[in-house]
Amino acid sequence: MTHATHSADLSGGFTEISHQSARAFREILEAMARPGSIRTVVGALPPAPLSVAAGVVLLTLTDPTTPLHLAGEADCKAVRDWVAFHIGAPLVAAEAAAFAIGTWEALHPVSRFAIGQPDYPDRAATLIVEADRLTNHGPALTGPGIETATWLSLPETAAFHANRALFPLGFDCIFTCGDRLAGVPRSTRVEKI
Amino acid sequence: MNDVSPSARRNWMSTLSTSAPGRLAALLPDLPDHALLRSPEIGAVMVRGRAGATGAAFNLGEMTVTRCSVRLQDGVVGHAWVQGRDKDHARRAAVVDGLMQTDRADYIRQTILAPLAAEALAARRSRAEKAAATKVDFFTMVRGEDR
Amino acid sequence: MYVAVKGGERAIDNAHAWLAEERRGDPAVPELSVPQIREQMALAVNRVMAEGSLYDPDLAALAIKQARGDLIEAVFLIRAYRTTLPRLAASAPVDTGAMAVDRRISATFKDLPGGQVLGPTFDYTHRLLDFALMAEGEVRVAVSAPATPDRVPHVTGFLNQDGLIEEAASSDALPPDLTREPMELPADRALRLQALTRGDEGFVLGLAYSTQRGYGRTHAFVGELRIGTVTVEVDIPELGFSVEIGEIELTECETVNQFKGSRTEPPQFTRGYGLVFGQSERKAIAMSLVDRALRWNELGEDFTGAPAQDEEFVLMHCDNVQATGFLEHIKLPHYVDFQSELELVRRLRAEVAAAARQEAAE
């Protein structure tokens, strides 16, 4: 016998799914098209330790056909239940993930994530990196979608150097903090300043 | 709130999923207060078959479904996955799933689920009986060389 | 060079208005409702569901109405709609052995357990127009007989007991999905079956017929054909168990094929398989013949160059939405392309004429 189900872990999804997911998709698209630009998103209230922005990205980009890796503290029962109810994405090891979520430390070593294949560069992982702060200070970003240069509070530069060297292969990153996010796609060059 | 067994819940959810929207609405016109945990959402389920009926699985095609999850006032959660694209039907089915986990279960079973299940069984039996009437009775003709 | 052109908006708008009027036809005749199409044009609805690859009789009926009865256009509308739906889950493979059968026949076994059940078939009708249907006449009522609720076993299971037919080994490998991943050749059988079940009925029928006439002959008999409803069961993530979420009508055909053995396989009967949404008997039989023809490689048979054996030929051309899209696009404006072609032909003609003049002068 099981007890009747209760709702503690089931709230926090989009309430108006078509509008909220369309708006969120637009923001994420802009973030990836203009690397380093910080954008605000709303609509998700995921369980701790996930941020609002990480929840929005998951609700918008993942579904039962996108294998998801929960890294570190993100791999807890509350998050697993929330993902099962709202998304249904299969939870997998880092190597098999289309999306991964966690802090930069928890996601390390990032070299384990899929970088795509020459025929299908799109079969690469997207890392949703939870950050304590997200500001336009730090390493310099240049490349497609950036007019001259911009700056972003990235945790390091070496991993992004290595990833850029794989282009057109490589993983893509979305940094999330509170209700804000910024994109660092594989095409972006990251330099220490 | 009551304990429910997964097999009992499977049964009533199946009864609800294939019921006609109009019938369920007629049996339960007014819904008790509830909150939407997941608004009714129309989507597709990929239906699979097996090569040679028993072999490796393949993707046959999709079917439309609508799912919905509600929370009743006493905190009980009801889920529904129903065939087709009727959002009110999914919501109503989720409420019934919730009520079946409360002390109103017996009343709901008698007034809603039992009639729905009986009607589904009658419809299935009626088709089976029409099929049975088209069963061939062979009789072998006497052939020339047997004379 | 491409030159963008604009215009035609008013003409297009007016064309659509006229289309709506033509769709309605003579207003003195009552308008056709979607439920009428669903109930009374059920086999057209089934075809649109099968080739549109979406089981929803109401939507298929609506598409037929909107498309003025052009079934390929209706399939196109359904395919376009299905791309807007989120994929919520995939079902457990349907159990056709547990089908509630409306029809179940075998051409190879007369006395099969469960019997030969004809169902609502066109077979044995005289194909004479029934003018009574032009009047609002009385409808004959189906006859009932006592039914046994037993599971109806598959015919091929009997042959299997003697080891005379190849085994279809069960597997729970995740099947490829051509609606999600680009089709890659060589395709495995699961991918071929998906392509065939949503393929154009006419194309698959033509290919199947070609195998019967000798282009990749596989000597097929219908081991069993069954039509009926099966339940669809899905694992519900929020519950942690599976639930029957619906019922669909399917047509299944299993062929039994002569096979004299090959380098890798002993002499035995082999099988072809067809499974299609709705009551779609012609399509299911055709699918099973083409499936069997495409299996030449795994069974160690020779490739004779027959179209039905050629995986690329079959899979790349069986989809009628792809085919009609590419075919019909050539009627859309190609003014600029054609101008350059025209230029080329004029120049070639001028060169030929100049050469002829020079020859005449010499």
Side-chain angles (χ1 to χ4, degrees):
Chain A
M1 296 297 241
T2 57
H3 282 287
T5 21
H6 267 260
S7 57
D9 41 10
L10 301 183
S11 57
F14 285 144
T15 45
E16 285 176 71
I17 192 161
S18 6
H19 291 112
Q20 287 173 314
S21 61
R23 286 209 184 93
F25 186 82
R26 181 76 209 184
E27 290 301 324
I28 297 166
L29 187 68
E30 287 289 326
M32 294 306 268
R34 298 175 208 292
S37 70
I38 296 173
R39 319 197 71 87
T40 305
V41 289
V42 290
L45 287 170
L50 297 190
S51 65
V52 167
V56 169
V57 174
L58 285 177
L59 288 175
T60 308
L61 298 187
T62 63
D63 70 12
T65 65
T66 53
L68 174 67
H69 176 67
L70 303 176
E73 286 177 14
D75 187 18
C76 62
K77 184 173 187 312
V79 172
R80 285 195 299 265
D81 287 349
W82 192 78
V83 167
F85 179 70
H86 289 284
I87 297 163
L91 300 180
V92 297
E95 292 73 16
F99 288 86
I101 189 159
T103 62
W104 187 250
E105 292 71 31
L107 290 166
H108 255 295
V110 289
S111 55
R112 21 180 209 158
F113 292 102
I115 57 168
Q117 301 145 8
D119 292 0
Y120 295 101
D122 55 305
R123 293 178 184 173
T126 299
L127 311 184
I128 304 163
V129 188
E130 293 270 48
D132 291 337
R133 59 191 191 91
L134 191 62
T135 61
N136 286 119
H137 299 285
L141 311 186
T142 57
I146 305 168
E147 193 171 8
T148 52
T150 186
W151 297 267
L152 194 67
S153 49
L154 295 179
E156 63 166 297
T157 55
F160 296 96
H161 266 289
N163 192 45
R164 179 66 183 78
L166 301 169
F167 194 83
L169 306 186
F171 55 79
D172 305 297
C173 290
I174 300 171
F175 285 83
T176 52
C177 177
D179 61 356
R180 296 170 312 130
L181 58 83
V184 182
R186 66 188 85 170
S187 57
T188 299
R189 287 183 194 82
V190 175
E191 305 288 346
K192 224 176 270 182
I193 48 166
Chain B
M1 158 196 357
N2 296 355
D3 280 348
V4 292
S5 78
S7 67
R9 195 167 180 193
R10 266 175 61 99
N11 280 342
W12 77 60
M13 287 185 78
S14 297
T15 302
L16 291 167
S17 71
T18 48
S19 64
R23 268 309 279 152
L24 182 60
L27 292 168
L28 182 71
D30 303 312
L31 296 183
D33 281 347
H34 61 276
L36 284 172
L37 282 178
R38 174 158 59 206
S39 315
E41 180 187 12
I42 298 172
V45 162
M46 174 55 89
V47 181
R48 293 194 173 133
R50 287 190 183 280
T54 54
F58 70 97
N59 289 308
L60 180 63
E62 289 164 308
M63 62 182 275
T64 52
V65 294
T66 306
R67 65 179 181 182
C68 179
S69 298
V70 299
R71 180 176 50 216
L72 303 185
Q73 272 194 320
D74 49 6
V76 172
V77 172
H79 298 294
W81 286 58
V82 299
Q83 184 167 11
R85 293 166 295 105
D86 192 317
K87 290 183 173 183
D88 289 341
H89 185 50
R91 185 172 188 154
R92 190 165 267 113
V95 170
V96 172
D97 177 54
L99 290 172
M100 280 301 290
Q101 302 168 62
T102 68
D103 50 15
R104 295 176 62 190
D106 284 340
Y107 175 74
I108 296 292
R109 185 180 291 113
Q110 280 166 28
T111 57
I112 296 169
L113 293 168
L116 288 177
E119 286 159 23
L121 185 68
R124 209 168 312 147
R125 183 173 299 146
S126 159
R127 279 197 89 82
E129 286 173 355
K130 288 174 194 171
T134 67
K135 193 180 281 189
V136 178
D137 297 318
F138 284 108
F139 48 93
T140 308
M141 308 291 279
V142 178
R143 296 196 295 187
E145 64 264 30
D146 292 337
R147 276 197 194 140
Chain C
M1 191 183 87
Y2 278 98
V3 179
V5 290
K6 283 171 74 171
E9 194 177 328
R10 188 181 44 82
I12 290 169
D13 207 34
N14 292 346
H16 289 172
W18 195 15
L19 169 66
E21 197 179 284
E22 289 286 298
R23 176 189 296 123
R24 176 61 184 85
D26 182 355
V29 176
E31 185 179 350
L32 200 52
S33 74
V34 168
Q36 283 173 337
I37 297 171
R38 185 192 64 216
E39 297 300 317
Q40 298 172 42
M41 293 285 133
L43 301 193
V45 166
N46 286 344
R47 182 170 177 185
V48 170
M49 293 197 297
E51 293 169 27
S53 206
L54 184 68
Y55 197 98
D56 188 314
D58 290 308
L59 286 181
L62 170 63
I64 290 167
K65 178 172 178 174
Q66 186 177 335
R68 305 178 65 195
D70 177 340
L71 296 191
I72 292 182
E73 179 73 15
V75 168
F76 195 165
L77 293 170
I78 291 298
R79 290 273 187 93
Y81 176 82
R82 70 150 285 279
T83 63
T84 68
L85 295 176
R87 171 81 59 84
L88 302 183
S91 81
V94 291
D95 179 6
T96 54
M99 181 185 277
V101 296
D102 287 351
R103 170 167 167 80
R104 188 270 195 138
I105 54 169
S106 171
T108 46
F109 298 94
K110 181 163 68 76
D111 298 309
L112 70 170
Q116 305 265 2
V117 178
L118 299 182
T121 180
F122 290 129
D123 296 354
Y124 319 108
T125 62
H126 295 110
R127 267 68 184 222
L128 299 173
L129 279 176
D130 181 359
F131 290 98
L133 291 172
M134 285 183 94
E136 286 170 25
E138 268 182 34
V139 180
R140 283 187 63 187
V141 177
V143 179
S144 293
T148 45
D150 298 339
R151 195 180 157 98
V152 183
H154 277 106
V155 167
T156 43
F158 308 128
L159 276 178
N160 225 348
Q161 287 163 3
D162 302 331
L164 293 179
I165 192 160
E166 60 154 334
E167 193 91 44
S170 172
S171 143
D172 287 316
L174 210 59
D177 183 354
L178 61 79
T179 68
R180 293 293 168 122
E181 301 281 335
M183 189 152 64
E184 284 181 78
L185 300 178
D188 66 6
R189 192 177 178 198
L191 193 64
R192 296 196 302 250
L193 290 172
Q194 184 185 13
L196 289 173
T197 193
R198 70 209 298 270
D200 183 73
E201 180 172 314
F203 183 80
V204 179
L205 169 66
L207 281 171
Y209 181 44
S210 76
T211 70
Q212 291 185 295
R213 290 195 62 255
Y215 291 86
R217 188 184 291 280
T218 54
H219 304 276
F221 299 97
V222 171
E224 180 170 355
L225 177 77
R226 53 170 69 193
I227 302 175
T229 52
V230 297
T231 55
V232 178
E233 195 168 314
V234 169
D235 265 325
I236 308 290
E238 57 264 29
L239 294 175
F241 54 83
S242 67
V243 171
E244 289 172 1
I245 56 146
E247 252 182 9
I248 60 174
E249 186 184 35
L250 295 177
T251 303
E252 180 186 52
C253 178
E254 279 214 89
T255 57
V256 177
N257 302 67
Q258 270 180 34
F259 184 59
K260 59 181 189 293
S262 70
R263 287 180 299 279
T264 54
E265 300 293 326
Q268 61 181 340
F269 292 105
T270 55
R271 301 155 72 167
Y273 190 66
L275 186 66
V276 186
F277 278 162
Q279 183 175 336
S280 309
E281 189 164 307
R282 183 186 303 115
K283 171 75 173 287
I285 301 171
M287 175 175 168
S288 60
L289 262 60
V290 177
D291 168 52
R292 176 59 187 82
L294 286 170
R295 297 181 62 213
W296 63 272
N297 198 10
E298 61 179 281
L299 294 170
E301 293 174 325
D302 292 328
F303 177 68
T304 63
Q309 288 182 310
D310 185 334
E311 181 175 273
E312 188 189 344
F313 183 83
V314 175
L315 298 191
M316 291 305 201
H317 301 123
C318 66
D319 191 291
N320 57 24
V321 176
Q322 267 173 24
T324 204
F326 200 68
L327 181 104
E328 294 198 50
H329 101 278
I330 62 172
K331 74 192 173 185
L332 299 173
H334 280 70
Y335 308 131
V336 178
D337 292 359
F338 190 70
Q339 287 309 311
S340 71
E341 298 281 322
L342 202 59
E343 198 71 7
L344 181 66
V345 172
R346 282 194 181 117
R347 203 172 67 228
L348 290 175
R349 285 176 68 105
E351 282 170 15
V352 170
R357 272 198 304 277
Q358 198 171 359
E359 209 169 295
E362 279 168 7

